[in-house]
Amino acid sequence: MWAGMHRDLERILIPAAAIESRVRDLGAQIALDLERVIGGDGTEDDHGELVIVPILTGSLVFVADLVRRLPLKLRLELVGVSSYPGKSMETKGVSIRHELPNILSGKHVLVIDDILDSGHTLDVVTRLIRDQKPASLRTCVLLRKPGKSTLPVRPDYVGFDIPDEFVVGYGLDYDGYYRNFPEIATLKPEAR
Ligand code: IMP
Ligand code: MG
């Protein structure tokens, strides 16, 4: 069934079962932390609302799985960011494609992205959020390429540290493709 895509993939770096179990653990850890932060049932007259901010499009699949592991009262507010126009595999600056609404003041915010590479995406998005004066701000990425970022961005939650290779699947794309592949894989050089 996945043959058309498998032809382009080099090797599976993280199988679906490993992703699933890590997402379950991350969910448990984040739920515990956030429950403490929002207190009570998380309503406004309590200690503040919880807002999850997924960075689209790459975090789509991860967020769908992760939020179902967070048994807390929360809202989703999307921000759309593009860092690889077309077929490039290098970060070419960050452009906002879908703006964040100006409603995060006083809220407890958790930003979620698929991968931390140069750190520019998370840096830009966390600046935009800090400008709105949230009550607290946490960041979570599924993947991190250690040592690649020169910026002072330190995610609070990291799913996996991976080698410095270009990966696709589970939301991550090359030229918009492979996001629906259920595992995280490297691409064959000839598919790039
Ligand atoms: P950064 O801004 O360099 O940290 O890169 C983060 C963004 O670049 C992520 O949101 C991804 O969309 C994209 N990205 C970085 N590395 C990869 C990769 O290996 N595969 C697919 N997308 C990537
Ligand atoms: Mg992305």
Side-chain angles (χ1 to χ4, degrees):
M1 280 226 303
W2 296 95
M5 268 187 265
H6 265 294
R7 255 198 304 276
D8 296 338
L9 302 177
E10 197 168 51
R11 69 195 161 87
I12 305 292
L13 200 65
I14 312 176
I19 300 171
E20 191 189 338
S21 105
R22 184 68 185 117
V23 170
R24 189 181 309 129
D25 290 350
L26 268 180
Q29 188 191 350
I30 293 171
L32 205 67
D33 292 352
L34 292 181
E35 198 174 23
R36 207 171 296 141
V37 169
I38 59 177
D41 59 6
T43 48
E44 253 162 316
D45 48 18
D46 219 321
H47 301 278
E49 288 214 309
L50 176 57
V51 181
I52 308 274
V53 177
I55 303 179
L56 295 181
T57 307
S59 73
L60 185 85
V61 178
F62 175 42
V63 167
D65 284 344
L66 185 66
V67 290
R68 285 177 292 174
R69 295 281 170 195
L70 302 178
L72 305 167
K73 190 171 178 186
L74 59 82
R75 285 197 172 121
L76 293 175
E77 292 291 349
L78 312 176
V79 61
V81 166
S82 168
S83 47
Y84 292 99
K87 295 185 174 180
S88 171
M89 304 215 309
E90 305 288 316
T91 297
K92 288 211 181 131
V94 178
S95 63
I96 301 292
R97 293 289 186 81
H98 175 90
E99 274 189 41
L100 201 55
N102 192 1
I103 48 132
L104 298 176
S105 166
K107 308 281 163 72
H108 296 286
V109 179
L110 174 67
V111 181
I112 303 184
D113 204 2
D114 51 358
I115 185 165
L116 183 85
D117 185 17
S118 74
H120 282 108
T121 303
L122 209 56
D123 183 54
V124 166
V125 172
T126 52
R127 276 169 200 275
L128 288 172
I129 293 173
R130 273 198 201 96
D131 287 346
Q132 295 194 26
K133 308 252 183 300
S136 70
L137 175 57
R138 288 172 173 73
T139 53
C140 172
V141 295
L142 176 68
L143 306 174
R144 174 174 62 183
K145 295 178 181 171
K148 287 235 24 220
S149 179
T150 50
L151 298 163
V153 277
R154 288 188 129 270
D156 297 287
Y157 307 99
V158 177
F160 300 92
D161 280 323
I162 62 165
D164 185 14
E165 287 183 84
F166 195 83
V167 293
V168 296
Y170 198 71
L172 293 114
D173 73 303
Y174 174 66
D175 192 25
Y177 294 109
Y178 315 108
R179 293 196 198 275
N180 58 324
F181 191 69
E183 337 216 31
I184 291 165
T186 59
L187 265 187
K188 281 183 187 157
E190 57 266 36
R192 289 169 201 160

